[in-house]
Amino acid sequence: MRNVIWVFARVSFLLFVFAATIAQPLELPVKIVVTPDHANWEYKLGEMASFSITVFKNHVPVSGVKIKYEIGPERMSPVKKEAIVLKNGTGIVEGSTMKTPGFLRCTVVAEVEGKSYRNIATVGYDILAIQPTVSEPADFSAFWEKGKQDLAAIPTDIRMTLLPERSTANTNVYHVNAQGYGNSRLYGILCVPKKEGKYPAIFQVPGAGIRPYNPDLELAEKGFIVFTIGIHGIPVNLDPQVYNSLESGALKGYFFFNTDQRDRYYYKRVYLNCVRGIDVIAQLPQYNGTQLAVSGNSQGGALSIITAALDKRVKYLAAVHPALCDLTGYFQERAGGWPHIFGPNNLWFSNNTSVKETMPYYDVVNFAKQVTIPGYYTWGFNDETCPPTSMYAAYNVIKAPKQTEVYHDSGHWMYAEQKQTFNNWIISRLGN
């Protein structure tokens, strides 16, 4: 009895701590608001941009606050840099301009009561004219066709384990294990409606990192098959500590593995196993065989575009701030895409011929050119992980029907409304 009471007390304490944690405010008491003088955050080439800067504490402007600001093309050296005092907590700074299509960023740092706070605003110049810097290898299509042929010769060997504790009254949830490209296995979490019938499917590809995955019951409960995969060839339902160990150990920096070897780069298996994920869906008896969408954010945004280009069984794609776009931008003194392989901090290993020859085979830009299906794309101008310059370099070469939803002040994250609009677009296209 004493053990039961102790366990109850312990659980109650943990629940209290958890409730207290999630109740903490997300915003800081000091907030810097940086606002461009064009409501749509866009400018014509040669047009001067200026920025209004206000530093608030408890929603009241901070008088006499000292700020430092820098203005310049995103991720590049600033063209203007200054420290000033905002007498009434607010002021306007004359910015700069751009002579070529791209994005200009104003970065502001303020110190209030010994603590530093930071915010940015990023504006676009003739953004629909941004063109990619990456080249397309002459054998790009042949390279990936050969990869798909090699994959097709490998049996799928699908093994599904029901997870009753994760299933609901309407949805069965499975841990899936299938044979992937080479000697790899593909793992994921699959949701299938329990009611007999044929259903449309959503293939979810992951953002960067090493972690477990949960079923997307929000979409599954609306009558969709939802298959959410991992990319690292390990089960996706292990103890979180396993993934923490891998992320800080064997898989740390996986996106740099074998960048100098076209046929052994880490993402070759990843890209082809996305096609294998479609194979898994196609073999489900509950799949209706025609309605299939792929979606993801960041690395997953990249994989969404890549999967749509590689596999014509996909009918719709929805991508959030895609990574791996126009990686070579740095060679022309502008921002390249995540993981910034050719960025200044990585030139110690990436500034060699083999790496430069490998990466165009994996750049999203060259897949975007082959997209033929309707797509929905959403991001923010303030994204410091996946620079908007790189994303528009890929977006602008897509010739298929496309819709963009820009949340200008968002960074490498999504508003709740943005995510809902994203999901609603997928739902409306699949007809449920």
Side-chain angles (χ1 to χ4, degrees):
M1 181 65 179
R2 290 177 59 190
N3 288 339
V4 172
I5 294 173
W6 182 89
V7 170
F8 178 78
R10 180 64 176 164
V11 170
S12 298
F13 172 76
L14 291 175
L15 288 174
F16 171 79
V17 171
F18 176 71
T21 300
I22 63 174
Q24 295 300 311
L26 298 177
E27 293 191 358
L28 298 171
V30 175
K31 189 174 187 179
I32 304 172
V33 177
V34 188
T35 309
D37 60 338
H38 281 197
N40 65 354
W41 295 46
E42 293 186 31
Y43 296 77
K44 297 177 182 178
L45 296 181
E47 189 175 10
M48 187 68 68
S50 64
F51 300 88
S52 172
I53 301 170
T54 305
V55 180
F56 293 95
K57 181 179 180 183
N58 300 325
H59 303 285
V60 177
V62 180
S63 297
V65 65
K66 182 178 180 179
I67 67 165
K68 296 178 181 179
Y69 72 90
E70 298 180 353
I71 297 174
E74 56 170 347
R75 299 187 72 89
M76 298 290 108
S77 298
V79 296
K80 186 174 183 179
K81 189 174 181 179
E82 192 175 3
I84 61 174
V85 174
L86 303 179
K87 293 183 179 180
N88 298 312
T90 188
I92 295 175
V93 298
E94 287 296 329
S96 184
T97 188
M98 297 187 72
K99 296 181 180 180
T100 58
F103 283 85
L104 186 75
R105 177 164 290 158
C106 177
T107 303
V108 180
V109 176
E111 188 168 301
V112 178
E113 297 177 355
K115 293 184 179 180
S116 291
Y117 300 86
R118 178 181 179 274
N119 202 3
I120 63 175
T122 313
V123 297
Y125 279 81
D126 201 9
I127 57 179
L128 295 182
I130 295 173
Q131 292 300 306
T133 62
V134 66
S135 61
E136 181 177 340
D139 63 341
F140 176 82
S141 295
F143 175 77
W144 287 108
E145 282 302 318
K146 175 63 165 57
K148 290 193 293 181
Q149 290 171 11
D150 293 343
L151 176 68
I154 302 171
T156 51
D157 185 29
I158 303 171
R159 305 172 190 177
M160 295 170 54
T161 303
L162 180 66
L163 304 176
E165 71 280 6
R166 296 194 176 190
S167 301
T168 70
N170 301 313
T171 304
N172 279 327
V173 176
Y174 302 87
H175 185 256
V176 174
N177 172 358
Q179 182 61 50
Y181 178 74
N183 294 319
S184 69
R185 301 292 296 186
L186 173 67
Y187 295 90
I189 296 291
L190 175 68
C191 299
V192 180
K194 287 183 176 180
K195 185 178 179 181
E196 186 175 348
K198 299 288 186 178
Y199 297 92
I202 301 169
F203 182 46
Q204 296 181 334
V205 283
I210 301 99
R211 57 187 173 277
Y213 290 93
N214 295 313
D216 190 333
L217 292 172
E218 180 182 351
L219 287 173
E221 293 286 296
K222 296 182 185 297
F224 296 102
I225 295 168
V226 184
F227 187 30
T228 306
I229 66 164
I231 65 167
H232 300 295
I234 54 177
V236 296
N237 61 346
L238 302 177
D239 186 281
Q241 186 56 47
V242 174
Y243 306 101
N244 294 338
S245 298
L246 288 170
E247 188 158 32
S248 60
L251 290 179
K252 184 177 182 179
Y254 65 86
F255 29 80
F256 292 125
F257 291 178
N258 299 322
T259 53
D260 60 342
Q261 301 176 63
R262 184 189 70 168
D263 292 301
R264 297 188 62 230
Y265 181 41
Y266 194 85
Y267 276 112
K268 183 175 184 182
R269 173 186 55 78
V270 174
Y271 290 9
L272 290 172
N273 275 352
C274 286
V275 175
R276 181 45 42 106
I278 303 298
D279 291 337
V280 171
I281 292 173
Q283 294 183 36
L284 295 172
Q286 298 92 342
Y287 173 49
N288 67 18
T290 58
Q291 294 169 287
L292 174 60
V294 61
S295 71
N297 67 80
S298 192
Q299 175 188 264
L303 295 177
S304 297
I305 296 171
I306 290 161
T307 305
L310 288 176
D311 199 320
K312 301 308 178 186
R313 291 174 292 183
V314 178
K315 303 305 179 186
Y316 305 98
L317 81 92
V320 185
H321 41 244
L324 292 153
C325 295
D326 203 37
L327 298 167
T328 53
Y330 291 100
F331 296 143
Q332 295 192 18
E333 297 185 354
R334 76 182 204 197
W338 180 94
H340 309 288
I341 285 174
F342 298 112
N345 294 333
N346 297 320
L347 291 181
W348 62 275
F349 85 93
S350 65
N351 194 18
N352 68 68
T353 301
S354 295
V355 176
K356 292 175 182 177
E357 290 176 347
T358 294
M359 298 320 298
Y361 288 92
Y362 295 89
D363 198 301
V364 168
V365 165
N366 291 328
F367 291 93
K369 295 175 183 177
Q370 299 188 8
V371 169
T372 59
I373 59 175
Y376 179 88
Y377 307 85
T378 183
W379 46 63
F381 285 3
N382 280 348
D383 196 324
E384 296 183 87
T385 301
C386 294
T389 301
S390 69
M391 294 188 287
Y392 275 96
Y395 177 80
N396 288 344
V397 301
I398 296 173
K399 304 303 181 184
K402 55 189 178 181
Q403 179 180 341
T404 317
E405 192 79 31
V406 177
Y407 290 74
H408 297 87
D409 67 329
S410 68
H412 202 64
W413 45 269
M414 295 178 73
Y415 284 109
E417 294 87 344
Q418 185 179 8
K419 182 178 180 181
Q420 192 58 58
T421 302
F422 178 82
N423 283 344
N424 287 344
W425 187 90
I426 297 172
I427 292 170
S428 66
R429 293 310 181 274
L430 294 179
N432 268 30

